[in-house]
Amino acid sequence: MTSEPVILVEHRAGVRTLILNRPDRLNAANDALLLTLTAELEAADADPSVRVVVLTGAGRGFCAGQDLGDVSGRDMTFTEHLHRTYNPLIRTIRGLGKPVITAVNGVAAGAGASLALSGDLRLWAESALLIEVFSNIALVPDSGSTWFLPRLVGYHRAFELMALAERVNAEEGLRLGLCEHVYPDATFREEVQAYAERLAARPAHALKLTKQALNAALTSTLDEALDREAELQQLAGDHWEHEEGVTAFRQKRPPQFVRGE
Ligand code: LHQ
């Protein structure tokens, strides 16, 4: 008997979609899911036919965080567990040379909330819910939540969401800046694919450098950011994408940034 893969992989029009696939557990994460997801992200980064990566969940959930049925009796400390599974996953997403869209189709709780926040762009279905659920089981927010959330909502709102494990629905998520867009459940998958394809048509090399610059700027001074921009602009300006953009502008036609990959 073959068991269901924990990550489903789809690929269409430059968009690699990775689907967390433990729907009867609301895609709660076990080690196999976390390690496979990280490996699939690395494979997507190395594959030139991939221009955008989408992370989403099968069934009615996005990710309910750590599988609580999978933690007892493990021979690893919490610290070791995070270093081996969740931390490499979040680092891989943030360091990926391609835009990562987290398409939050339902509940995102605990480390699943951190995963939802880790995307470069966050699209939510109307039924999405984000819960910093860790304090319900007397744990500390992990997998990047303590870094992402206060930058989005400020220290005090982040602390309240974490301390009370308040449920943030899609309307509130949009208001708080936890997502860029909300789409109806019924058309969510199509809307996400259409959005991702729009992004896939953009200049991939320039977006890679933009992601690099923004991430570094989050922890640097203005002086450092200005110097980095000057360096990265040279790399962008020397690339064929820049020449194509300028030529297309002069010729009054749309630029063609996808070249037979
Ligand atoms: C689950 C889970 C789940 C297993 C729903 N596990 N089965 C990192 C490293 C090391 C250790 C510890 O933690 C961490 C980071 C973390 O992520 S800690 C946070 C862990 N996650 C949670 O505490 C969330 C627990 N789940 C919930 O609070 C609820 O299930 C939510 C609010 C997510 C959804 O509620 P409902 O929509 O009412 O669904 P449900 O509770 O009925 O769940 C549906 C099924 O999924 C159910 O199974 P059953 O057999 O009864 O149908 C749940 O047991 C199962 N499930 N989350 N994390």
Side-chain angles (χ1 to χ4, degrees):
M1 198 180 80
T2 53
S3 54
E4 276 285 297
V6 283
I7 301 294
L8 302 174
V9 181
E10 296 177 356
H11 188 100
R12 183 151 52 97
V15 179
R16 177 73 49 91
T17 301
L18 305 177
I19 306 170
L20 282 63
N21 188 38
R22 304 185 72 223
D24 55 338
R25 301 263 78 97
L26 301 178
N27 305 313
N30 58 16
D31 289 2
L33 182 144
L34 296 165
L35 297 175
T36 308
L37 182 54
T38 305
E40 287 294 349
L41 284 159
E42 284 166 353
D45 210 13
D47 183 341
S49 73
V50 177
R51 296 175 68 86
V52 173
V53 177
V54 173
L55 298 187
T56 194
R60 74 174 175 90
F62 174 71
C63 175
Q66 171 63 34
D67 187 327
L68 296 176
D70 205 49
V71 283
S72 62
R74 65 165 53 251
D75 54 4
M76 250 186 291
T77 64
F78 283 86
T79 306
E80 285 166 349
H81 187 197
L82 287 168
H83 280 315
R84 202 172 84 81
T85 55
Y86 289 96
N87 291 359
L89 170 61
I90 300 299
R91 286 195 176 105
T92 300
I93 292 169
R94 297 307 321 136
L96 212 83
K98 299 169 183 186
V100 177
I101 297 174
T102 45
V104 183
N105 54 300
V107 67
S114 307
L115 186 61
L117 295 175
S118 73
D120 299 298
L121 292 155
R122 294 94 21 105
L123 308 179
W124 285 19
E126 270 173 355
S127 66
L129 272 182
L130 185 135
I131 318 171
E132 293 285 346
V133 76
F134 306 86
S135 61
N136 283 353
I137 54 169
L139 284 182
V140 174
D142 63 25
S143 308
S145 266
T146 63
W147 195 85
F148 296 123
L149 203 57
R151 282 172 170 73
L152 293 162
V153 301
Y155 171 91
H156 300 91
R157 190 75 177 102
F159 187 75
E160 184 179 49
L161 289 173
M162 290 168 172
L164 300 177
E166 282 186 345
R167 292 171 173 235
V168 180
N169 64 22
E171 188 185 0
E172 182 72 349
L174 194 58
R175 196 184 68 77
L176 287 174
L178 305 189
C179 61
E180 280 61 63
H181 301 284
V182 173
Y183 299 114
D185 290 350
T187 55
F188 185 59
R189 286 279 148 89
E190 294 75 37
E191 298 278 13
V192 169
Q193 180 67 25
Y195 184 98
E197 285 184 25
R198 200 147 58 88
L199 198 59
R202 306 294 299 158
H205 181 252
L207 296 198
K208 175 181 175 166
L209 299 179
T210 302
K211 177 168 175 174
Q212 197 182 319
L214 272 178
N215 275 293
L218 282 172
T219 54
S220 72
T221 63
L222 174 60
D223 269 345
E224 290 161 346
L226 290 169
D227 287 343
R228 192 178 309 104
E229 286 170 4
E231 273 174 37
L232 295 179
Q233 196 65 292
Q234 193 62 51
L235 299 180
D238 288 344
H239 199 273
W240 66 261
E241 285 177 349
H242 172 58
E243 193 182 331
E244 164 61 8
V246 173
T247 305
F249 174 78
R250 290 198 184 123
Q251 294 176 350
K252 300 188 186 299
R253 62 167 174 84
Q256 179 50 259
F257 291 124
V258 184
R259 280 191 176 171
E261 286 109 324

